[in-house]
Amino acid sequence: MPSPSSRTLLSALTVDTLPFGQYTVSKRELFGLTEHSYALVNLKPVVPGHVLVCSRRPVGRLHDLSPMELADLWQLATKVDRCLLRAFPDMDSSTYAVQDGPSAGQTVEHVHIHVMPRGPKDAFNLQGENDKVYDAIQDNERQCVRMDIPSDEERKPRTEEEMFEEAAMLLEIMDEIEREDA
Amino acid sequence: MPSPSSRTLLSALTVDTLPFGQYTVSKRELFGLTEHSYALVNLKPVVPGHVLVCSRRPVGRLHDLSPMELADLWQLATKVDRCLLRAFPDMDSSTYAVQDGPSAGQTVEHVHIHVMPRGPKDAFNLQGENDKVYDAIQDNERQCVRMDIPSDEERKPRTEEEMFEEAAMLLEIMDEIEREDA
């Protein structure tokens, strides 16, 4: 029997928010949900489609997850990647990064994977600075959820409505992929 | 029944090299081996203990792996992380990165995860430039295996013997962890 789809699980979710370290994220920011993991859009994406994939159990480090939780997390991350490549047709690649622990730049102590669709002409590659995408995640890591800190001058936080719309658009594609895979 | 240990699988390996994209890596550079994945030391690590975890099946992208291969790959990566944190006791964190596709900086078209132990006083954090570790991976990505290209002035390629010694040291710790987990 195939696992229930993200859409089905999201509809069945009886809470309005999920924990993300010291923060909470709205159910309406999610576009992927499995038994052990969720995928959400980002307050200040460093490239269009920069999203996060998180464990549902709030642990700090990848090696704290059970084999089943870890498998589920990465299975969702690769499905998210397929979803992003379909949503952003000019992109042909993805950057995945996990800042696992404080000395690696982790600021929210809750397992999360950054997934970013990348293309030959994305902002970083156009400037010939492909690797600068990571400097940008580093900034983003400090502000990836709605926090009460002064806003970064260069990247304006998005409105809730913008974030909910993107999540709904990505959920459509996630649904398509899940129906094809079922 | 527990899976066979890396040491057992490495001893049983009947080939001297494994494929890594267009290159091959020596069995003696490996310190982790599972049914679907292997872990190897690096020609030009950007921090001490910077290693790679690869799929045994030579596919280009994370989303090309089967769910079982993907689960196995990340299970090995987190075991490698525990192994590194034990081998480098000043380190408390890890950076994981996958450059998945050419526009993300991938130069060897074969799934591989960069795993780097990180500490509050590592070279990048000491300079207050935690995120510069990614610029360094980017260079490393171009030269992570033995290639016939001019050597990078700043980081001297290591000798085979140095690499084999590090692999043997990490294999000892991998063995310890695998015996504890069994």
Side-chain angles (χ1 to χ4, degrees), chain A residues 61 63 67 70 74 81 92-94 96 98-105 119-120 125 130-131 134-135 138, chain B residues 61 63 70 74 81 92-94 96 98-105 119-120 125 130-131 134-135 138:
Chain A
R61 309 285 287 274
H63 64 224
L70 186 71
W74 286 96
D81 166 53
D92 61 14
S93 302
S94 294
Y96 294 85
V98 182
Q99 315 204 124
D100 209 42
S103 303
N125 283 317
N130 173 49
D131 49 344
Y134 295 106
D135 301 288
Q138 189 65 26
Chain B
R61 308 286 286 274
H63 63 225
L70 185 70
W74 286 96
D81 167 52
D92 61 14
S93 302
S94 294
Y96 295 84
V98 182
Q99 316 204 123
D100 209 43
S103 303
N125 282 318
N130 173 48
D131 48 344
Y134 296 106
D135 301 289
Q138 190 64 27

mmCIF file of all heavy atoms in Angstrom, chain A residues 61 63 67 70 74 81 92-94 96 98-105 119-120 125 130-131 134-135 138, chain B residues 61 63 70 74 81 92-94 96 98-105 119-120 125 130-131 134-135 138:
data_model
loop_
_atom_site.group_PDB
_atom_site.id
_atom_site.type_symbol
_atom_site.label_atom_id
_atom_site.label_comp_id
_atom_site.label_asym_id
_atom_site.label_seq_id
_atom_site.Cartn_x
_atom_site.Cartn_y
_atom_site.Cartn_z
ATOM 1 N N ARG A 61 20.479 17.023 15.537
ATOM 2 C CA ARG A 61 21.480 16.585 14.568
ATOM 3 C C ARG A 61 21.027 15.402 13.732
ATOM 4 O O ARG A 61 20.279 14.541 14.205
ATOM 5 C CB ARG A 61 22.749 16.201 15.334
ATOM 6 C CG ARG A 61 23.214 17.285 16.323
ATOM 7 C CD ARG A 61 23.848 18.435 15.612
ATOM 8 N NE ARG A 61 25.129 18.041 15.124
ATOM 9 C CZ ARG A 61 26.255 18.106 15.870
ATOM 10 N NH1 ARG A 61 26.205 18.584 17.105
ATOM 11 N NH2 ARG A 61 27.395 17.719 15.367
ATOM 12 N N HIS A 63 22.578 12.773 12.999
ATOM 13 C CA HIS A 63 22.884 11.462 13.597
ATOM 14 C C HIS A 63 21.995 11.133 14.797
ATOM 15 O O HIS A 63 22.082 10.031 15.333
ATOM 16 C CB HIS A 63 24.374 11.318 13.926
ATOM 17 C CG HIS A 63 24.889 12.265 14.964
ATOM 18 N ND1 HIS A 63 26.087 12.933 14.832
ATOM 19 C CD2 HIS A 63 24.385 12.679 16.143
ATOM 20 C CE1 HIS A 63 26.267 13.702 15.892
ATOM 21 N NE2 HIS A 63 25.254 13.555 16.698
ATOM 22 N N PRO A 67 17.190 5.395 11.920
ATOM 23 C CA PRO A 67 17.367 5.067 10.497
ATOM 24 C C PRO A 67 16.089 5.321 9.693
ATOM 25 O O PRO A 67 16.153 5.841 8.581
ATOM 26 C CB PRO A 67 17.721 3.577 10.522
ATOM 27 C CG PRO A 67 18.396 3.372 11.848
ATOM 28 C CD PRO A 67 17.672 4.296 12.801
ATOM 29 N N LEU A 70 15.622 9.120 9.287
ATOM 30 C CA LEU A 70 16.644 9.652 8.370
ATOM 31 C C LEU A 70 16.304 9.313 6.925
ATOM 32 O O LEU A 70 16.397 10.161 6.027
ATOM 33 C CB LEU A 70 18.002 9.048 8.753
ATOM 34 C CG LEU A 70 19.205 9.575 8.004
ATOM 35 C CD1 LEU A 70 19.521 11.012 8.421
ATOM 36 C CD2 LEU A 70 20.431 8.685 8.258
ATOM 37 N N TRP A 74 15.338 12.154 3.869
ATOM 38 C CA TRP A 74 16.028 12.327 2.578
ATOM 39 C C TRP A 74 15.163 11.912 1.400
ATOM 40 O O TRP A 74 15.303 12.426 0.295
ATOM 41 C CB TRP A 74 17.398 11.637 2.594
ATOM 42 C CG TRP A 74 18.337 12.449 3.420
ATOM 43 C CD1 TRP A 74 18.652 12.256 4.732
ATOM 44 C CD2 TRP A 74 19.020 13.647 3.013
ATOM 45 N NE1 TRP A 74 19.493 13.255 5.160
ATOM 46 C CE2 TRP A 74 19.748 14.109 4.131
ATOM 47 C CE3 TRP A 74 19.098 14.359 1.818
ATOM 48 C CZ2 TRP A 74 20.532 15.262 4.087
ATOM 49 C CZ3 TRP A 74 19.883 15.499 1.764
ATOM 50 C CH2 TRP A 74 20.589 15.945 2.896
ATOM 51 N N ASP A 81 13.168 18.114 -4.324
ATOM 52 C CA ASP A 81 14.065 18.519 -5.408
ATOM 53 C C ASP A 81 13.378 18.337 -6.764
ATOM 54 O O ASP A 81 13.384 19.242 -7.615
ATOM 55 C CB ASP A 81 15.340 17.674 -5.304
ATOM 56 C CG ASP A 81 16.221 17.724 -6.537
ATOM 57 O OD1 ASP A 81 16.558 18.844 -6.959
ATOM 58 O OD2 ASP A 81 16.587 16.654 -7.066
ATOM 59 N N ASP A 92 18.506 23.284 -13.477
ATOM 60 C CA ASP A 92 18.865 21.906 -13.834
ATOM 61 C C ASP A 92 19.598 21.181 -12.710
ATOM 62 O O ASP A 92 20.009 20.032 -12.878
ATOM 63 C CB ASP A 92 19.727 21.898 -15.100
ATOM 64 C CG ASP A 92 21.038 22.656 -14.921
ATOM 65 O OD1 ASP A 92 21.418 22.967 -13.772
ATOM 66 O OD2 ASP A 92 21.685 22.947 -15.946
ATOM 67 N N SER A 93 19.824 21.835 -11.591
ATOM 68 C CA SER A 93 20.656 21.281 -10.527
ATOM 69 C C SER A 93 20.086 21.708 -9.179
ATOM 70 O O SER A 93 19.158 22.520 -9.133
ATOM 71 C CB SER A 93 22.094 21.813 -10.646
ATOM 72 O OG SER A 93 22.647 21.493 -11.909
ATOM 73 N N SER A 94 20.645 21.152 -8.093
ATOM 74 C CA SER A 94 20.237 21.580 -6.757
ATOM 75 C C SER A 94 21.422 21.580 -5.806
ATOM 76 O O SER A 94 22.321 20.746 -5.934
ATOM 77 C CB SER A 94 19.158 20.641 -6.201
ATOM 78 O OG SER A 94 17.985 20.758 -6.981
ATOM 79 N N TYR A 96 22.170 21.032 -1.859
ATOM 80 C CA TYR A 96 21.633 20.569 -0.573
ATOM 81 C C TYR A 96 22.680 20.901 0.481
ATOM 82 O O TYR A 96 23.863 20.595 0.271
ATOM 83 C CB TYR A 96 21.497 19.044 -0.522
ATOM 84 C CG TYR A 96 20.508 18.379 -1.445
ATOM 85 C CD1 TYR A 96 20.841 18.040 -2.753
ATOM 86 C CD2 TYR A 96 19.246 18.005 -0.980
ATOM 87 C CE1 TYR A 96 19.940 17.363 -3.584
ATOM 88 C CE2 TYR A 96 18.346 17.329 -1.803
ATOM 89 C CZ TYR A 96 18.704 17.015 -3.101
ATOM 90 O OH TYR A 96 17.818 16.345 -3.912
ATOM 91 N N VAL A 98 23.376 20.915 4.920
ATOM 92 C CA VAL A 98 22.942 20.792 6.314
ATOM 93 C C VAL A 98 24.046 21.371 7.188
ATOM 94 O O VAL A 98 25.203 20.948 7.099
ATOM 95 C CB VAL A 98 22.717 19.316 6.727
ATOM 96 C CG1 VAL A 98 22.204 19.236 8.173
ATOM 97 C CG2 VAL A 98 21.738 18.631 5.784
ATOM 98 N N GLN A 99 23.674 22.385 7.984
ATOM 99 C CA GLN A 99 24.608 22.970 8.937
ATOM 100 C C GLN A 99 24.302 22.285 10.273
ATOM 101 O O GLN A 99 23.361 22.658 10.960
ATOM 102 C CB GLN A 99 24.420 24.481 8.976
ATOM 103 C CG GLN A 99 24.299 25.038 7.540
ATOM 104 C CD GLN A 99 24.677 26.478 7.369
ATOM 105 O OE1 GLN A 99 25.548 26.765 6.556
ATOM 106 N NE2 GLN A 99 24.069 27.372 8.087
ATOM 107 N N ASP A 100 25.068 21.248 10.558
ATOM 108 C CA ASP A 100 24.710 20.309 11.618
ATOM 109 C C ASP A 100 25.491 20.627 12.888
ATOM 110 O O ASP A 100 26.565 20.073 13.132
ATOM 111 C CB ASP A 100 25.021 18.885 11.112
ATOM 112 C CG ASP A 100 24.123 17.816 11.733
ATOM 113 O OD1 ASP A 100 22.914 18.061 11.862
ATOM 114 O OD2 ASP A 100 24.635 16.739 12.073
ATOM 115 N N GLY A 101 24.951 21.528 13.672
ATOM 116 C CA GLY A 101 25.632 21.926 14.910
ATOM 117 C C GLY A 101 26.088 23.368 14.840
ATOM 118 O O GLY A 101 26.273 23.924 13.748
ATOM 119 N N PRO A 102 26.260 24.006 16.005
ATOM 120 C CA PRO A 102 26.546 25.451 16.077
ATOM 121 C C PRO A 102 27.804 25.869 15.312
ATOM 122 O O PRO A 102 27.802 26.916 14.659
ATOM 123 C CB PRO A 102 26.698 25.714 17.579
ATOM 124 C CG PRO A 102 26.870 24.368 18.228
ATOM 125 C CD PRO A 102 26.157 23.391 17.350
ATOM 126 N N SER A 103 28.864 25.083 15.356
ATOM 127 C CA SER A 103 30.100 25.498 14.689
ATOM 128 C C SER A 103 30.003 25.369 13.173
ATOM 129 O O SER A 103 30.889 25.804 12.449
ATOM 130 C CB SER A 103 31.290 24.683 15.176
ATOM 131 O OG SER A 103 31.408 24.800 16.568
ATOM 132 N N ALA A 104 28.926 24.742 12.699
ATOM 133 C CA ALA A 104 28.716 24.655 11.253
ATOM 134 C C ALA A 104 27.730 25.728 10.798
ATOM 135 O O ALA A 104 27.321 25.753 9.642
ATOM 136 C CB ALA A 104 28.205 23.262 10.879
ATOM 137 N N GLY A 105 27.335 26.626 11.731
ATOM 138 C CA GLY A 105 26.441 27.715 11.353
ATOM 139 C C GLY A 105 24.975 27.445 11.653
ATOM 140 O O GLY A 105 24.116 28.243 11.292
ATOM 141 N N GLY A 119 20.575 26.878 -11.496
ATOM 142 C CA GLY A 119 20.636 26.836 -12.954
ATOM 143 C C GLY A 119 21.861 27.557 -13.449
ATOM 144 O O GLY A 119 22.481 28.326 -12.699
ATOM 145 N N PRO A 120 22.222 27.316 -14.704
ATOM 146 C CA PRO A 120 23.433 27.944 -15.259
ATOM 147 C C PRO A 120 23.356 29.471 -15.205
ATOM 148 O O PRO A 120 24.378 30.143 -15.168
ATOM 149 C CB PRO A 120 23.474 27.441 -16.707
ATOM 150 C CG PRO A 120 22.133 26.861 -16.986
ATOM 151 C CD PRO A 120 21.533 26.469 -15.674
ATOM 152 N N ASN A 125 25.448 31.942 -10.414
ATOM 153 C CA ASN A 125 26.235 31.515 -11.561
ATOM 154 C C ASN A 125 26.437 32.648 -12.565
ATOM 155 O O ASN A 125 27.493 32.724 -13.210
ATOM 156 C CB ASN A 125 25.606 30.278 -12.217
ATOM 157 C CG ASN A 125 25.903 29.011 -11.427
ATOM 158 O OD1 ASN A 125 27.030 28.821 -10.981
ATOM 159 N ND2 ASN A 125 24.905 28.171 -11.232
ATOM 160 N N ASN A 130 29.333 30.833 -8.184
ATOM 161 C CA ASN A 130 28.438 29.743 -7.832
ATOM 162 C C ASN A 130 28.439 29.443 -6.343
ATOM 163 O O ASN A 130 27.409 29.193 -5.735
ATOM 164 C CB ASN A 130 28.866 28.488 -8.611
ATOM 165 C CG ASN A 130 28.099 27.263 -8.169
ATOM 166 O OD1 ASN A 130 26.879 27.297 -8.073
ATOM 167 N ND2 ASN A 130 28.818 26.208 -7.885
ATOM 168 N N ASP A 131 29.630 29.486 -5.757
ATOM 169 C CA ASP A 131 29.774 29.074 -4.354
ATOM 170 C C ASP A 131 29.270 30.131 -3.369
ATOM 171 O O ASP A 131 29.069 29.839 -2.197
ATOM 172 C CB ASP A 131 31.220 28.692 -4.055
ATOM 173 C CG ASP A 131 32.191 29.747 -4.559
ATOM 174 O OD1 ASP A 131 31.788 30.590 -5.385
ATOM 175 O OD2 ASP A 131 33.344 29.744 -4.132
ATOM 176 N N TYR A 134 26.371 29.742 -0.715
ATOM 177 C CA TYR A 134 26.502 29.270 0.664
ATOM 178 C C TYR A 134 26.634 30.437 1.646
ATOM 179 O O TYR A 134 26.156 30.348 2.768
ATOM 180 C CB TYR A 134 27.700 28.336 0.805
ATOM 181 C CG TYR A 134 27.573 27.057 0.032
ATOM 182 C CD1 TYR A 134 28.306 26.848 -1.126
ATOM 183 C CD2 TYR A 134 26.730 26.046 0.464
ATOM 184 C CE1 TYR A 134 28.214 25.658 -1.832
ATOM 185 C CE2 TYR A 134 26.625 24.855 -0.236
ATOM 186 C CZ TYR A 134 27.375 24.661 -1.384
ATOM 187 O OH TYR A 134 27.280 23.506 -2.072
ATOM 188 N N ASP A 135 27.316 31.505 1.242
ATOM 189 C CA ASP A 135 27.365 32.679 2.122
ATOM 190 C C ASP A 135 25.946 33.141 2.379
ATOM 191 O O ASP A 135 25.591 33.529 3.488
ATOM 192 C CB ASP A 135 28.132 33.852 1.473
ATOM 193 C CG ASP A 135 29.564 33.488 1.130
ATOM 194 O OD1 ASP A 135 30.364 33.350 2.046
ATOM 195 O OD2 ASP A 135 29.860 33.326 -0.064
ATOM 196 N N GLN A 138 24.077 31.135 4.807
ATOM 197 C CA GLN A 138 24.573 31.418 6.135
ATOM 198 C C GLN A 138 23.787 32.580 6.748
ATOM 199 O O GLN A 138 23.335 32.510 7.882
ATOM 200 C CB GLN A 138 26.065 31.749 6.033
ATOM 201 C CG GLN A 138 26.754 31.863 7.347
ATOM 202 C CD GLN A 138 26.765 30.538 8.076
ATOM 203 O OE1 GLN A 138 26.713 29.488 7.467
ATOM 204 N NE2 GLN A 138 26.810 30.594 9.375
ATOM 205 N N ARG B 61 22.706 11.901 -9.601
ATOM 206 C CA ARG B 61 21.927 12.755 -8.712
ATOM 207 C C ARG B 61 21.269 11.987 -7.575
ATOM 208 O O ARG B 61 20.884 10.822 -7.742
ATOM 209 C CB ARG B 61 20.832 13.452 -9.534
ATOM 210 C CG ARG B 61 21.391 14.158 -10.787
ATOM 211 C CD ARG B 61 22.135 15.409 -10.422
ATOM 212 N NE ARG B 61 21.186 16.419 -10.066
ATOM 213 C CZ ARG B 61 20.582 17.225 -10.939
ATOM 214 N NH1 ARG B 61 20.885 17.155 -12.223
ATOM 215 N NH2 ARG B 61 19.705 18.113 -10.531
ATOM 216 N N HIS B 63 18.344 12.194 -6.489
ATOM 217 C CA HIS B 63 16.998 11.684 -6.797
ATOM 218 C C HIS B 63 17.021 10.500 -7.761
ATOM 219 O O HIS B 63 15.983 9.919 -8.046
ATOM 220 C CB HIS B 63 16.046 12.805 -7.276
ATOM 221 C CG HIS B 63 16.451 13.461 -8.553
ATOM 222 N ND1 HIS B 63 16.424 14.826 -8.734
ATOM 223 C CD2 HIS B 63 16.900 12.967 -9.724
ATOM 224 C CE1 HIS B 63 16.837 15.122 -9.956
ATOM 225 N NE2 HIS B 63 17.124 14.004 -10.561
ATOM 226 N N LEU B 70 19.324 5.404 -1.165
ATOM 227 C CA LEU B 70 19.363 6.730 -0.544
ATOM 228 C C LEU B 70 19.445 6.601 0.980
ATOM 229 O O LEU B 70 20.229 7.294 1.646
ATOM 230 C CB LEU B 70 18.102 7.500 -0.951
ATOM 231 C CG LEU B 70 18.026 8.952 -0.500
ATOM 232 C CD1 LEU B 70 19.030 9.816 -1.263
ATOM 233 C CD2 LEU B 70 16.610 9.498 -0.707
ATOM 234 N N TRP B 74 22.745 7.879 3.428
ATOM 235 C CA TRP B 74 22.703 8.834 4.541
ATOM 236 C C TRP B 74 22.941 8.154 5.878
ATOM 237 O O TRP B 74 23.460 8.776 6.809
ATOM 238 C CB TRP B 74 21.407 9.651 4.497
ATOM 239 C CG TRP B 74 21.483 10.653 3.390
ATOM 240 C CD1 TRP B 74 20.990 10.537 2.124
ATOM 241 C CD2 TRP B 74 22.198 11.902 3.423
ATOM 242 N NE1 TRP B 74 21.335 11.645 1.381
ATOM 243 C CE2 TRP B 74 22.065 12.494 2.149
ATOM 244 C CE3 TRP B 74 22.921 12.580 4.411
ATOM 245 C CZ2 TRP B 74 22.632 13.728 1.836
ATOM 246 C CZ3 TRP B 74 23.492 13.815 4.096
ATOM 247 C CH2 TRP B 74 23.342 14.368 2.826
ATOM 248 N N ASP B 81 29.983 10.784 10.241
ATOM 249 C CA ASP B 81 29.994 11.984 11.080
ATOM 250 C C ASP B 81 30.380 11.614 12.512
ATOM 251 O O ASP B 81 31.247 12.247 13.132
ATOM 252 C CB ASP B 81 28.593 12.620 11.017
ATOM 253 C CG ASP B 81 28.350 13.679 12.077
ATOM 254 O OD1 ASP B 81 29.182 14.593 12.188
ATOM 255 O OD2 ASP B 81 27.327 13.596 12.769
ATOM 256 N N ASP B 92 32.754 19.867 17.202
ATOM 257 C CA ASP B 92 31.450 19.583 17.814
ATOM 258 C C ASP B 92 30.297 19.606 16.810
ATOM 259 O O ASP B 92 29.141 19.424 17.179
ATOM 260 C CB ASP B 92 31.156 20.576 18.951
ATOM 261 C CG ASP B 92 31.094 22.019 18.447
ATOM 262 O OD1 ASP B 92 31.008 22.238 17.211
ATOM 263 O OD2 ASP B 92 31.136 22.938 19.287
ATOM 264 N N SER B 93 30.607 19.863 15.541
ATOM 265 C CA SER B 93 29.552 20.051 14.541
ATOM 266 C C SER B 93 30.028 19.455 13.212
ATOM 267 O O SER B 93 31.187 19.044 13.104
ATOM 268 C CB SER B 93 29.282 21.544 14.341
ATOM 269 O OG SER B 93 28.906 22.165 15.568
ATOM 270 N N SER B 94 29.138 19.426 12.230
ATOM 271 C CA SER B 94 29.548 18.976 10.898
ATOM 272 C C SER B 94 28.814 19.755 9.827
ATOM 273 O O SER B 94 27.653 20.125 10.008
ATOM 274 C CB SER B 94 29.244 17.488 10.706
ATOM 275 O OG SER B 94 30.045 16.717 11.572
ATOM 276 N N TYR B 96 27.447 19.231 6.045
ATOM 277 C CA TYR B 96 27.160 18.267 4.967
ATOM 278 C C TYR B 96 26.769 19.076 3.732
ATOM 279 O O TYR B 96 25.919 19.976 3.849
ATOM 280 C CB TYR B 96 25.946 17.407 5.285
ATOM 281 C CG TYR B 96 26.015 16.450 6.454
ATOM 282 C CD1 TYR B 96 25.745 16.867 7.757
ATOM 283 C CD2 TYR B 96 26.284 15.104 6.248
ATOM 284 C CE1 TYR B 96 25.746 15.974 8.817
ATOM 285 C CE2 TYR B 96 26.288 14.197 7.317
ATOM 286 C CZ TYR B 96 26.020 14.641 8.598
ATOM 287 O OH TYR B 96 26.016 13.758 9.644
ATOM 288 N N VAL B 98 25.852 18.655 -0.636
ATOM 289 C CA VAL B 98 25.784 17.908 -1.897
ATOM 290 C C VAL B 98 25.598 18.914 -3.013
ATOM 291 O O VAL B 98 24.651 19.705 -2.996
ATOM 292 C CB VAL B 98 24.606 16.909 -1.927
ATOM 293 C CG1 VAL B 98 24.613 16.116 -3.241
ATOM 294 C CG2 VAL B 98 24.653 15.960 -0.738
ATOM 295 N N GLN B 99 26.543 18.924 -3.948
ATOM 296 C CA GLN B 99 26.424 19.781 -5.133
ATOM 297 C C GLN B 99 25.829 18.881 -6.220
ATOM 298 O O GLN B 99 26.545 18.121 -6.852
ATOM 299 C CB GLN B 99 27.797 20.339 -5.495
ATOM 300 C CG GLN B 99 28.510 20.813 -4.217
ATOM 301 C CD GLN B 99 29.570 21.870 -4.432
ATOM 302 O OE1 GLN B 99 29.492 22.932 -3.843
ATOM 303 N NE2 GLN B 99 30.551 21.582 -5.253
ATOM 304 N N ASP B 100 24.526 18.954 -6.379
ATOM 305 C CA ASP B 100 23.778 17.955 -7.140
ATOM 306 C C ASP B 100 23.479 18.479 -8.531
ATOM 307 O O ASP B 100 22.405 19.047 -8.770
ATOM 308 C CB ASP B 100 22.480 17.653 -6.357
ATOM 309 C CG ASP B 100 21.959 16.235 -6.577
ATOM 310 O OD1 ASP B 100 22.768 15.304 -6.565
ATOM 311 O OD2 ASP B 100 20.733 16.072 -6.739
ATOM 312 N N GLY B 101 24.430 18.293 -9.425
ATOM 313 C CA GLY B 101 24.249 18.772 -10.791
ATOM 314 C C GLY B 101 25.238 19.874 -11.111
ATOM 315 O O GLY B 101 25.748 20.551 -10.215
ATOM 316 N N PRO B 102 25.530 20.069 -12.410
ATOM 317 C CA PRO B 102 26.587 20.990 -12.845
ATOM 318 C C PRO B 102 26.391 22.434 -12.369
ATOM 319 O O PRO B 102 27.355 23.080 -11.959
ATOM 320 C CB PRO B 102 26.552 20.912 -14.371
ATOM 321 C CG PRO B 102 25.237 20.273 -14.722
ATOM 322 C CD PRO B 102 24.883 19.394 -13.557
ATOM 323 N N SER B 103 25.171 22.934 -12.363
ATOM 324 C CA SER B 103 24.962 24.330 -11.974
ATOM 325 C C SER B 103 25.104 24.531 -10.476
ATOM 326 O O SER B 103 25.105 25.663 -9.993
ATOM 327 C CB SER B 103 23.587 24.835 -12.412
ATOM 328 O OG SER B 103 23.435 24.687 -13.801
ATOM 329 N N ALA B 104 25.188 23.424 -9.723
ATOM 330 C CA ALA B 104 25.420 23.535 -8.286
ATOM 331 C C ALA B 104 26.898 23.321 -7.968
ATOM 332 O O ALA B 104 27.280 23.230 -6.800
ATOM 333 C CB ALA B 104 24.560 22.517 -7.539
ATOM 334 N N GLY B 105 27.738 23.217 -9.011
ATOM 335 C CA GLY B 105 29.178 23.073 -8.782
ATOM 336 C C GLY B 105 29.667 21.633 -8.815
ATOM 337 O O GLY B 105 30.827 21.356 -8.530
ATOM 338 N N GLY B 119 34.493 22.904 14.210
ATOM 339 C CA GLY B 119 34.612 23.264 15.622
ATOM 340 C C GLY B 119 34.643 24.763 15.785
ATOM 341 O O GLY B 119 34.864 25.494 14.802
ATOM 342 N N PRO B 120 34.422 25.246 17.011
ATOM 343 C CA PRO B 120 34.399 26.693 17.246
ATOM 344 C C PRO B 120 35.724 27.357 16.867
ATOM 345 O O PRO B 120 35.759 28.549 16.556
ATOM 346 C CB PRO B 120 34.133 26.817 18.744
ATOM 347 C CG PRO B 120 34.362 25.459 19.333
ATOM 348 C CD PRO B 120 34.167 24.464 18.229
ATOM 349 N N ASN B 125 36.083 29.220 11.397
ATOM 350 C CA ASN B 125 35.457 29.951 12.510
ATOM 351 C C ASN B 125 36.440 30.899 13.191
ATOM 352 O O ASN B 125 36.049 31.970 13.663
ATOM 353 C CB ASN B 125 34.827 28.961 13.504
ATOM 354 C CG ASN B 125 33.486 28.430 12.987
ATOM 355 O OD1 ASN B 125 32.690 29.178 12.456
ATOM 356 N ND2 ASN B 125 33.270 27.125 13.123
ATOM 357 N N ASN B 130 32.835 31.471 9.009
ATOM 358 C CA ASN B 130 32.323 30.112 9.032
ATOM 359 C C ASN B 130 31.883 29.633 7.656
ATOM 360 O O ASN B 130 32.139 28.501 7.255
ATOM 361 C CB ASN B 130 31.143 30.047 10.023
ATOM 362 C CG ASN B 130 30.449 28.724 9.970
ATOM 363 O OD1 ASN B 130 31.099 27.686 10.009
ATOM 364 N ND2 ASN B 130 29.146 28.752 9.849
ATOM 365 N N ASP B 131 31.231 30.522 6.917
ATOM 366 C CA ASP B 131 30.632 30.121 5.647
ATOM 367 C C ASP B 131 31.659 29.978 4.515
ATOM 368 O O ASP B 131 31.356 29.401 3.477
ATOM 369 C CB ASP B 131 29.522 31.102 5.254
ATOM 370 C CG ASP B 131 29.977 32.549 5.375
ATOM 371 O OD1 ASP B 131 30.995 32.802 6.035
ATOM 372 O OD2 ASP B 131 29.320 33.428 4.811
ATOM 373 N N TYR B 134 32.473 26.745 2.402
ATOM 374 C CA TYR B 134 31.834 26.312 1.165
ATOM 375 C C TYR B 134 32.619 26.767 -0.058
ATOM 376 O O TYR B 134 32.642 26.071 -1.058
ATOM 377 C CB TYR B 134 30.404 26.833 1.090
ATOM 378 C CG TYR B 134 29.490 26.288 2.147
ATOM 379 C CD1 TYR B 134 29.085 27.071 3.217
ATOM 380 C CD2 TYR B 134 29.019 24.986 2.077
ATOM 381 C CE1 TYR B 134 28.211 26.579 4.176
ATOM 382 C CE2 TYR B 134 28.155 24.483 3.035
ATOM 383 C CZ TYR B 134 27.750 25.290 4.079
ATOM 384 O OH TYR B 134 26.898 24.807 5.022
ATOM 385 N N ASP B 135 33.233 27.952 0.019
ATOM 386 C CA ASP B 135 34.083 28.372 -1.110
ATOM 387 C C ASP B 135 35.179 27.337 -1.288
ATOM 388 O O ASP B 135 35.554 26.970 -2.392
ATOM 389 C CB ASP B 135 34.761 29.728 -0.853
ATOM 390 C CG ASP B 135 33.774 30.851 -0.604
ATOM 391 O OD1 ASP B 135 33.110 31.257 -1.557
ATOM 392 O OD2 ASP B 135 33.665 31.294 0.548
ATOM 393 N N GLN B 138 34.106 24.252 -2.918
ATOM 394 C CA GLN B 138 33.921 24.498 -4.326
ATOM 395 C C GLN B 138 35.231 24.256 -5.085
ATOM 396 O O GLN B 138 35.248 23.589 -6.109
ATOM 397 C CB GLN B 138 33.444 25.940 -4.500
ATOM 398 C CG GLN B 138 32.993 26.287 -5.868
ATOM 399 C CD GLN B 138 31.783 25.486 -6.265
ATOM 400 O OE1 GLN B 138 31.009 25.060 -5.416
ATOM 401 N NE2 GLN B 138 31.642 25.240 -7.557
#
